[in-house]
Amino acid sequence: MLDALIAWSGGAFGEDWAARLSYLTNGKHLAWYASVRFTLIAAFAGAAIAVLCGLLGAAALRSGLAPLRWLGTLYITMVRGIPDVLFFLFFPLAFEQAVEWVMAQRLCGAEVLASSTSWPPCQAAQWYLGTGEYLALACVSLGIVYGAFAANVINGAMTAVPRGQLEAAVAYGFTQRQVFWRFQVRQMWIYALPGLSNVWMLLLKATSLLSLLQIQDMVLWANRIGAPNYIARVGTVHGDWRWRYYLALFVFYILLTLVSEYLFRRLSARAGRGMAIG
Amino acid sequence: MSLLADSAVVETARALAKPALFNIYFALASIPLGFPFALALAIGRDSRVKLIALLCRGYIYAFRGSPLFIQFFMVYSVMLAFNLEYWKPLGIDHIVLHPLFLGPLVLVLNTAAYGAEIFSGALKAVPSGQLEAARAVGMSRFQIFRSVTWPNALRIAWPAYTNEVVFLFHATALVYFTLPVIDNQKDLMNMAGELFERDYNVFLHYSVAAGYFLVISALIFWLAGLVYKRLTRHLDPQARTGMRMRPNYLR
């Protein structure tokens, strides 16, 4: 099909066009386009985990138990005080080591554990992480970091639900639990959506960091394809084209932002139907 | 055991002290240019000249809508592409391509876009009664900006701008993931990574690095709080709300 398209474009726009199209659809470029999947998986899975962490964090912040409240405050202050990239690197490494420690306790002998100074103590306890594992860990760390932001947004949104609504529900004889789930949580979304939309934008931008975890994402491919290409038999195929590929990524992310903004506007309009605000 | 842990923490903290200065340098070097640039963009954004308004809005949207990580790569690769044609012949290639120059350059481009959004909101929030009064007294447009709009806008924007400066400081962690390290000038993330590769103690080294970021962030909030107190010293103490130490959380 691709060949047909190239042949057609050669006829319709001239040979120059066909050559350009066939260059842009060679194996490496197709791999580059396909690597968008890592970005999208990380964004959607990360967002799902972030909303979950946000709900848990908000629940902790509003809890009747003081230690839980402290835990919630600690969670969002910690994430607020350190850069996301630091946590993004730290969490996968820490998780890997924790797993290797557990494996070492079970697989390495007692004397090896006591005497070994390297990490992991024995070869059997080495955990090799592939792209899949790193991607999963990246999603979780994105979820934890942006969950803290979401917790703050959701906490604010729960406070923003008019008190009168909740009081009316109590007056009608709903139990505390029913009031919480059927009124506060149900109505909270419309107040939370603008904030959550901002968190989504931050998370989307943070997905550009995937290459730091050795995932072959768009950034890594852009660097690879754009690097000066020299083949001894042919000579210089092309010079340093990296800037073109990074420019393409720059535009791609702006387009992603544009699309998300549009979708959030639609979502917001839908969530706010029948309500006095929004 | 606890003594040993203490000394290990102290040792890591000592090893990270000089790298922390590089992060502080990147942030400090970006603010003096980023601040006026942001203000210019904020004013240009609502310019009556359609072209200027469009350009400013486009710039703000592009740099807020794309990741800083990509912006670093993009600017660096563009600068590299210009190297043979412009920088080398002029003999400024080792300055223009140096991370200590490029880092602040990209951070300025980035923070200006975010700052512009903050200042633009603040400029619109200036009480209209004061502006009318200034016009009634017969002030010129420049006088109005200097003595009414600007002081009010700065005061309104200050808490959010403080937040932006903290984000800018955190963004300095990205510099050396994209730019080459020259002359062993390592920042916190480089050094923490290097220490980690020596003994695989991820908790110790990254926690101490995180501690540096936390402490310096708190310091920025504290200093900005002092300035805010001074900016609002003429206001009614009852009406004066304290600086919110955990502002909007969002960039």
Side-chain angles (χ1 to χ4, degrees), chain A residues 45 92 94 97 103 130 139 145 153 167 227 255:
Chain A
Q97 285 202 349
M103 275 159 76
C139 294
V145 171
V153 168
E167 279 162 14
L255 289 180

Side-chain angles (χ1 to χ4, degrees), chain B:
Chain B
M1 184 62 210
S2 97
L3 250 175
L4 200 82
D6 280 350
S7 71
V9 169
V10 170
E11 206 171 293
T12 306
R14 201 170 291 151
L16 289 177
K18 194 180 146 228
L21 290 179
F22 280 94
N23 289 81
I24 295 172
Y25 161 78
F26 285 126
L28 275 186
S30 310
I31 296 167
L33 274 176
F35 188 89
F37 188 21
L39 188 64
L41 279 172
I43 296 170
R45 193 180 167 282
D46 295 308
S47 165
R48 251 176 270 158
V49 185
K50 280 270 158 53
L51 184 68
I52 293 178
L54 196 75
L55 284 176
C56 288
R57 273 162 205 255
Y59 178 89
I60 295 170
Y61 196 88
F63 276 82
R64 291 184 68 211
S66 63
L68 178 62
F69 194 57
I70 305 279
Q71 289 164 20
F72 266 117
F73 276 126
M74 190 182 68
V75 172
Y76 182 46
S77 58
V78 167
M79 294 299 260
L80 272 180
F82 283 149
N83 190 24
L84 286 180
E85 237 176 299
Y86 298 103
W87 315 138
K88 263 261 163 64
L90 287 171
I92 52 169
D93 52 324
H94 56 279
I95 301 171
V96 174
L97 294 176
H98 201 288
L100 292 186
F101 172 82
L102 270 182
L105 174 72
V106 182
L107 288 170
V108 163
L109 294 178
N110 184 267
T111 193
Y114 285 97
E117 208 54 24
I118 294 169
F119 287 133
S120 153
L123 285 174
K124 285 187 193 114
V126 172
S128 56
Q130 293 195 22
L131 292 173
E132 277 165 31
R135 267 199 297 277
V137 178
M139 286 183 173
S140 72
R141 274 179 65 182
F142 178 71
Q143 278 176 321
I144 293 176
F145 185 82
R146 223 195 76 112
S147 55
V148 180
T149 314
W150 173 238
N152 270 306
L154 184 66
R155 189 169 54 244
I156 295 165
W158 195 259
Y161 193 74
T162 307
N163 210 27
E164 170 53 28
V165 170
V166 172
F167 265 113
L168 172 70
F169 178 62
H170 288 179
T172 63
L174 278 176
V175 173
Y176 279 118
F177 283 108
T178 47
L179 303 180
V181 175
I182 291 179
D183 293 340
N184 219 21
Q185 295 168 343
K186 296 185 174 114
D187 79 334
L188 277 171
M189 295 303 292
N190 281 133
M191 202 60 195
E194 196 183 294
L195 292 174
F196 163 71
E197 273 162 24
R198 257 181 234 166
D199 59 3
Y200 295 105
N201 194 340
V202 62
F203 291 95
L204 174 66
H205 304 312
Y206 280 99
S207 304
V208 174
Y212 267 105
F213 278 108
L214 267 171
V215 167
I216 297 171
S217 305
L219 212 66
I220 295 171
F221 275 131
W222 179 70
L223 282 174
L226 289 185
V227 175
Y228 191 62
K229 217 176 242 172
R230 192 169 162 73
L231 284 176
T232 55
R233 68 192 183 282
H234 61 288
L235 295 180
D236 174 14
Q238 236 76 59
R240 202 165 72 188
T241 50
M243 172 107 170
R244 286 172 65 205
M245 274 312 161
R246 26 183 219 115
N248 23 20
Y249 278 88
L250 289 175
R251 210 178 170 180

